[in-house]
Amino acid sequence: MNWIKRFMTGRYGGDQLSIFLLVLSMIITLIGRLTNVVVISFLSYVPIFMALFRMFSKDINKRRMENYKFAIFISPIYSKLKKLEGRLKGRKTHRYYKCPNCNNSLRVPKGKGKILITCPNCKEKFTKKV
Ligand SMILES: [Zn+2]
């Protein structure tokens, strides 16, 4: 295992973008298998080679910058997924509404009957049956 250590010295290694590329490649491979289109299967090699190139790259600053840009690009998607996850977890105890005035997302407890909801953002009041 020493030769790997020696080989990887001064090289960038793995990061989130590399993992994403590998997962992307697996998804493309799967699609290629399901659709039986050779071009799609061939395309799955592109992200793998990009990931390998990035891992073995010695231009660490450039790779870091790429990963940083990727993180900025992915963060709104990630936060939306996190929000959705929270909603799924709380769907038995809470209901979610959008404020009719400012579109703010509101969480109210379930099973309280007809309630008056006040938006904490714009103080808009509306009634809902929960
Ligand atoms: Zn509001």
Side-chain angles (χ1 to χ4, degrees):
M1 289 308 264
N2 238 348
W3 67 272
I4 294 178
K5 221 181 242 172
R6 223 175 309 131
F7 179 70
M8 287 308 286
T9 308
R11 293 180 198 270
Y12 185 62
D15 62 6
Q16 293 93 331
L17 179 53
S18 298
I19 292 166
F20 172 78
L21 287 169
L22 291 175
V23 172
L24 184 71
S25 160
M26 281 188 250
I27 293 168
I28 296 172
T29 306
L30 201 73
I31 293 169
R33 285 273 166 88
L34 292 175
T35 54
N36 254 333
V37 180
V38 183
V39 180
I40 297 175
S41 301
F42 182 73
L43 275 178
S44 71
Y45 289 103
V46 176
I48 283 187
F49 283 121
M50 279 168 75
L52 288 175
F53 168 76
R54 294 189 74 254
M55 282 176 183
F56 299 140
S57 170
K58 287 189 171 176
D59 196 347
I60 291 170
N61 283 334
K62 208 170 177 184
R63 300 291 90 80
R64 256 196 208 131
M65 205 58 212
E66 285 167 5
N67 193 49
Y68 177 68
K69 280 179 187 161
F70 171 72
I72 290 173
F73 170 75
I74 208 84
S75 69
I77 300 166
Y78 185 75
S79 70
K80 265 194 185 146
L81 282 175
K82 275 278 159 208
K83 214 170 159 185
L84 195 72
E85 189 190 351
R87 273 189 179 208
L88 282 173
K89 270 185 188 161
R91 70 170 189 258
K92 277 187 180 151
T93 51
H94 292 85
R95 288 204 70 166
Y96 295 85
Y97 291 108
K98 272 216 156 101
C99 170
N101 190 34
C102 69
N103 250 352
N104 189 22
S105 183
L106 304 166
R107 191 180 76 144
V108 294
K110 242 180 179 177
K112 302 272 183 204
K114 206 171 178 186
I115 57 165
L116 180 71
I117 302 165
T118 308
C119 173
N121 201 25
C122 66
K123 311 295 175 213
E124 169 84 4
K125 286 182 167 73
F126 59 100
T127 53
K128 286 276 180 196
K129 207 170 166 277
V130 289

